[in-house]
Amino acid sequence: MDILNDVLAFMRAGFNEINAVQGLLIALIAAFVLPDLKRLPVIVLAATLIHLAVDVLIPVIANGAALRLPPILEGSYWRYAAVVLVGYLVVISIFAMIKRLLFKR
């Protein structure tokens, strides 16, 4: 039962991370581009990579800051990337179901 609670907490953390303007826009576009549910893992991975790239590029574009690479050698960065991946899996799946219900493909 503890494992199930841990998995649900991880999914909640991912959903909370995506539940912002940046994440919702990326997820909405990804769900719109998603041709069918077989391609969901590829679209989720692409959305995650785009999210991580935007996280690095927003300070550069908005504030004129120096380009800094993400801390890829730290475990906390990979945990954040995994949380974002799971969040996109949940949100894109929900958006894809809504799209399927609305457009009846």
Side-chain angles (χ1 to χ4, degrees):
M1 197 62 168
D2 288 335
I3 295 172
L4 180 62
N5 287 334
D6 291 340
V7 170
L8 289 176
F10 200 73
M11 290 177 75
R12 269 188 234 111
F15 182 77
N16 288 336
E17 191 65 42
I18 302 306
N19 198 10
V21 175
Q22 171 190 345
L24 290 176
L25 284 175
I26 294 171
L28 190 62
I29 292 169
F32 183 73
V33 171
L34 182 68
D36 59 355
L37 290 178
K38 293 179 199 172
R39 303 294 296 172
L40 184 65
V42 175
I43 297 293
V44 167
L45 184 61
T48 303
L49 292 174
I50 290 169
H51 185 98
L52 296 174
V54 168
D55 279 348
V56 170
L57 293 176
I58 281 180
V60 174
I61 294 170
N63 302 330
L67 179 64
R68 295 182 184 258
L69 294 177
I72 59 172
L73 296 178
E74 295 179 10
S76 61
Y77 179 76
W78 292 108
R79 178 166 172 81
Y80 170 72
V83 165
V84 169
L85 183 101
V86 170
Y88 275 120
L89 179 64
V90 171
V91 174
I92 292 173
S93 298
I94 292 169
F95 283 166
M97 287 183 223
I98 292 170
K99 179 182 110 174
R100 181 170 265 215
L101 287 172
L102 291 177
F103 296 123
K104 302 276 186 188
R105 282 191 180 188

